[in-house]
Amino acid sequence: MNPKMLPVLNVPVKYHIEPVPPMDRPRRFLEAFAAVLRHSNYGFLLDHFSRMGAKCAMCAAECPVYQVTASDADVPCSRSELVLKTYRRHFTAEGRMMARVLGTPPLSDADIDKMTEAFYRCTACRRCNLQCPMGLDHGLITHLGRYLLSEIGIAPKALVVSVREQLQGKSGNTSAIPVPALLNTLEFLEEDLKEKFGKDIKFPVDQEGAEYVFFPAVSDYLLEPDVLMGMAAVFHATGDSWTIGTGNFDGINYGLFYNDRHFEAIVKREVAEWKRLKAKKMLIGECGHASRTAKAFIPVFGGDYKPEVVNVLEYTDRAIQSGKVKLRKDVIKERVTYHDPCNYARSGWIVDQPRRIIRSFIQDFVEMEPHGKENYCCGGGGGTVSIDEMREFRTMVGGKRKAEQLRATGAHYVIAPCANCKKQVKEVIEDHKLDMELIGLHDLILRAIEL
Amino acid sequence: MDTLIQFGRGPLFRFAVVVALLGLARYVVLSAWGLRRARQRAGDKRLDFGAVASRTFTVLNPFRYLAGNRAFYTALSVLFHFGVILVPIFFAGHIRLWRRGIGLGWPALPASLSDWLTLLSIATGVLLLIARAWYPASRGMSRPQDWLLPPLIVLAFLSGYLVAHPGSNPFSLNLVTLVHVGVCDLLLILTPFTKIAHCVMLPYSQYVNEMCWRLVPGAGQEVLKTLGKEGQPV
């Protein structure tokens, strides 16, 4: 079905970047590009994509950003061309020869400025991949483009600061939560659970040999107590052993969004904590990118250690299907809809599980159209939700299609499990003045679980 | 003109076929080699060939795109490809030429079906060009080959139709034959140098995506060393 093109609106994207020393940016960019090509597999990718592009713009029709801006700059294939043309011009014999014949200018500062904006207008939702007849993954080119920019110091400060604290800071997590604060929070949540259920429901800490070591988005400890309590209640019902590790309790990996080196380092820290605690499996919270980075990239970066990665929605779904978790059907009476986080829905990994959970206890559930693998991004994907100065673009451009979907459902609650989607959808609801409430799935489970 | 036609059907055609086949074979070999190398370097070497093949067939299924947001363009493209693939291979006149030249033949399409597919290719080729020009996103990023290939293909089919239907041909038969042979030879030569190469490279795309997302462990640190930035903080 062809969605109506929304009224055209364009908002420039600017984000704070930490100061870098003056440099010859094109030269440094090309040096970084050469180094990346030498040590990675991106060259092979770029060769293939260069030859395959049909320039049909089928990708544009699927892109939630293009559907609002109708700007050539937001056509995924056009954006990928920023990297591809640089690759061909500077790193292929054919391209260098054609440049001599046609007088094609080399990479310039203006090109880098274009990339600086273009690659952060993209939410890396990879919806464009669904319709590209050539099978090109423009999200992967966005990933590469951001990586190259980061190697010359161009990366959103919001992401850099978080990664710096996670990799080099005292706390070792993106929200700078020290261990004593974590322990206080967990104690408080245990008291809350005791008050609610009259039972001792624990958040085990540093238990060796547990079935699962738990990595939520660390911001859940600050912002989503009900989600955490919901998960603890599920574990209490199943009786499976789990633990939170004080060595590393942050599943967030912003390296995915801008730099492969940090991406790898953060994955390795997760594996190290799993190893330290001698756990059998890794349990990731509701967060989309935390789940994807663990599931898909521990096998890549984990070396000899490749723990099984389970998302908590899979876990809870299995627990309900097996009868270990029972949810009361009379608690949630309002209409509910569900937002599919791109990072685990696009691949089809987590699509059916949350729906089975929802249908097991919620009477009035309505789908957004499209949903599942074909979902629309919340508008804050690719780490852009963490960039506060991009809010207007995120909610009024990237999130506009999502706002239309939400409005069309008439739902009171929208379940957005992913931590990043939660923040973004909350802001979409506020900025578009939607009469609905954002909630996590385990928040609702907490209300309905029978213990 | 007879000499030119004979040249176009003889040595030039053989040259064009060799360029097309060798050029495409080069891509097949380079792609396979590149995949092998990418897999050797990748951190996760497991490759579920079945799952990726399934995704490949899903992407190759043209009808799935009819559910997307450019269904009309997709329909045009699917119909265009039917004619473009079937007529050059299964048109009886071409098979007769192959049989005469290399002694090989194969079953042909009925003449009326070949005619309809030819006219379909012409009509859809023109409409695809108009659609490209009409849609701002494709118009903005089209390259010279994106504008030139459709009219060349349309011309190949139109001239071929006129050669096969002298009664409908307002021009001299020799002229139309020369145009047909010349344009087809040109298209064959262009095949490995333009996006027409997708005919052999398309099945690789899902494998390329799959392997290239399996990043190379340690690559980031090696990049850092190469750039002389070791020890620099985040």
Side-chain angles (χ1 to χ4, degrees), chain B residues 53-68:
Chain B
S54 169
R55 278 211 305 274
T56 300
F57 283 116
T58 302
V59 170
L60 285 175
N61 170 15
F63 298 102
R64 71 184 289 268
Y65 301 100
L66 293 173

Side-chain angles (χ1 to χ4, degrees), chain A residues 264-395:
Chain A
E264 181 174 358
I266 296 166
V267 167
K268 283 179 160 162
R269 288 187 75 248
E270 276 181 313
V271 174
E273 183 67 356
W274 167 84
K275 215 174 130 211
R276 180 181 81 85
L277 292 169
K278 301 183 179 60
K280 296 190 184 58
K281 299 174 197 170
M282 211 179 262
L283 181 78
I284 310 295
E286 292 186 352
C287 181
H289 88 275
S291 302
R292 180 177 163 219
T293 52
K295 178 86 168 174
F297 292 95
I298 283 177
V300 173
F301 296 131
D304 293 331
Y305 302 100
K306 295 181 168 59
E308 183 185 340
V309 173
V310 178
N311 174 278
V312 71
L313 296 176
E314 287 184 296
Y315 180 83
T316 301
D317 173 48
R318 279 185 226 147
I320 293 171
Q321 299 300 310
S322 66
K324 289 182 181 173
V325 166
K326 292 191 186 344
L327 303 175
R328 290 185 0 243
K329 293 188 195 325
D330 59 343
V331 172
I332 312 296
K333 297 189 169 56
E334 296 89 342
R335 172 169 284 191
V336 171
T337 189
Y338 176 79
H339 161 75
D340 289 282
C342 299
N343 272 307
Y344 47 56
R346 191 72 67 225
S347 62
W349 173 30
I350 309 280
V351 172
D352 294 333
Q353 302 90 327
R355 284 167 170 83
R356 280 196 292 267
I357 296 171
I358 290 166
R359 290 196 166 101
S360 72
F361 73 110
I362 290 172
Q363 306 308 311
D364 190 0
F365 170 60
V366 62
E367 293 274 18
M368 285 187 256
E369 291 300 337
H371 56 268
K373 284 174 77 167
E374 287 88 31
N375 73 314
Y376 276 112
C377 178
C378 60
T384 56
V385 69
S386 300
I387 307 169
D388 285 332
E389 58 270 28
M390 276 181 64
R391 177 164 173 162
E392 190 188 357
F393 178 84
R394 278 193 283 106
T395 60

Side-chain angles (χ1 to χ4, degrees), chain A residues 149-181:
Chain A
L149 288 170
S150 75
E151 289 295 346
I152 62 167
I154 298 174
K157 184 174 174 178
L159 300 181
V160 174
V161 162
S162 295
V163 168
R164 182 179 294 137
E165 179 61 29
Q166 191 175 24
L167 290 177
Q168 292 169 353
K170 275 198 206 138
S171 67
N173 62 78
T174 50
S175 293
I177 301 174
V179 170

Side-chain angles (χ1 to χ4, degrees), chain A residues 1-3 38-41 48 51 53-56 58 61-62 130 134-135 137 151 164 168 264 300, chain B residues 27 38 41 43-44 46 64-65 69-70 74 132 137 143 195 202 205 209 213 215 218-219 224 226 229 234:
Chain A
M1 182 180 109
N2 289 337
R38 185 170 148 196
H39 297 293
S40 72
N41 285 330
H48 187 83
R51 294 197 177 102
K55 304 292 188 246
C56 60
M58 296 276 283
E62 301 302 321
L130 295 176
M134 298 300 186
D137 188 336
E151 289 295 346
R164 182 179 294 137
Q168 292 169 353
E264 181 174 358
V300 173
Chain B
Y27 282 151
R41 297 173 88 181
D44 180 7
R46 298 168 306 165
R64 71 184 289 268
Y65 301 100
N69 292 331
R70 292 195 73 206
T74 297
R132 175 176 290 279
R143 306 154 291 186
K195 63 185 183 181
L202 191 51
S205 288
N209 293 339
W213 267 116
L215 305 177
L224 208 63
T226 303
K229 296 199 294 181
V234 172

Side-chain angles (χ1 to χ4, degrees), chain B residues 206-229:
Chain B
Q206 295 306 314
Y207 288 100
V208 171
N209 293 339
E210 184 74 18
M211 287 321 302
C212 290
W213 267 116
R214 314 270 179 92
L215 305 177
V216 177
Q221 283 299 328
E222 293 299 319
V223 167
L224 208 63
K225 270 189 224 164
T226 303
L227 296 175
K229 296 199 294 181

Side-chain angles (χ1 to χ4, degrees), chain B residues 83-98:
Chain B
V84 161
I85 294 169
L86 292 175
V87 171
I89 301 171
F90 295 106
F91 172 57
H94 291 164
I95 295 172
R96 272 197 297 277
L97 290 171
W98 283 111

Side-chain angles (χ1 to χ4, degrees), chain B residues 12 14 27-28 38 46 88 93 125-126 138 147-148 152 169 177 183:
Chain B
L12 183 59
R14 285 191 284 275
Y27 282 151
V28 169
R46 298 168 306 165
V126 170
S138 52
W147 297 116
L148 293 173
L152 276 178
N169 182 8
T177 305
V183 169

